Amino acid sequence: MSSENLPQSPESSTQQPRKPRVAVVFGGRSSEHGISVVTAGAVLRAIDRTKYDVLPIGITTDGRWALTADEPDRMAIADRKVPTVTELAESAEGGVVLPVDPGSREVVYTEPGAVPKALGEVDVVFPVLHGPYGEDGTLQGLLELSGIPYVGSGVLASAVGQDKDYMKRVFTSFGLPVGPYLVVRPREWEQDEQGARKRIAAFAGEHGWPLFIKPARAGSSFGITKVDSFEGLDEAIEEARRHDPKFLVESLLRGREIECGVLEFEDGPRASVPAEIPPVSNHAFYDFEAKYIDSADGIVPAPIGAEATAEVRRLAVEAFEAASCEGLVRADFFLQENGEFVINEINTMPGFTPISMYPRMWEATGVDYAELVECLIEAALRRSTGLR
């Protein structure tokens, strides 16, 4: 890519005070790469360009930070296929480099055989990565080292929110209700597979079938299998371990699936009206294709009554605070037949496409998509990096 096609530093292109610059970082190395690109397109479309300059940065599946065109329309699902950063990158070799000196926020573009080019300073990063290597605290740690504020939770909350094992441990320690589960760690499976199978069999004997086998650190329902008997167990474990060597076994919680969004305002976190995810036809559960390809529709607001609505909103904020979250969270619950809620998980960077439940819940609460993006950027700009 020739240097004349590179984004120009805002400082060099105008004599007026520059606007805050938002780097939207998307893609990544996880299995949720494609939906992250779709999310980025929606965020880029929503950012108020009269208030902010924007720098789109895509991370390829092999980890290269690529400069991409600011073309949201190319970042949509087409013919049931999700887009990739490689398709959007301005160059097959060039890379974007963040500063490692917290005293500088200058972003540099490098290409083999060419002089590195300064792209100007970045004031805030809007990371819309899902899953490992982005949502799990790794990117957040890099941004902390760089001294660049960013949207969303910090290192600890991001790591806890990604790892369903430790997430449930945190919730239990704070008195939040969680369902029965079993964790099988990599070393146990590799060194004592028979012992792990005996534990799973005992869990099934105590809680009954069906069971859900899921990766401990994946999202968008990737790698999750509903298993009705021992016959399907091996295939389900193999699928989970394809995404993560640590996996969970969970019992079926009979009840209604209820979700609730939490958003950080200047005076603290608040919860949205909840949504209900009804049973999805042609899908065993609310999986990736049901969410993003077939656009399974949720009910917003959830028809659960005023008392249950108030309770799930309270629990969602409690979960946000328990995990030390910042910015945004989607909290997922089961409303059981006895009227009690059980928390399933939180997502510190939930699905954020226009059809995703998190933006839809906030729109029903009175905050539309553009306002939601603005609120998140403002919250990030108010925070410093480091201990807080």
Side-chain angles (χ1 to χ4, degrees), residues 17-46:
R18 70 177 182 86
K19 295 177 285 189
R21 201 167 194 211
V22 182
V24 178
V25 180
F26 59 96
R29 295 163 57 188
S30 82
S31 53
E32 298 174 82
H33 176 99
I35 201 61
S36 172
V37 178
V38 176
T39 296
V43 170
L44 287 168
R45 193 176 290 110

Side-chain angles (χ1 to χ4, degrees), residues 26 43 61 158 162 167 203 229 247-248 284 313 346 349 387:
F26 59 96
V43 170
T61 53
S158 296
Q162 184 64 37
M167 181 198 306
F203 183 86
S229 68
F247 65 92
L248 270 67
R313 294 176 83 170
I346 58 171
M349 183 51 69
L387 299 178

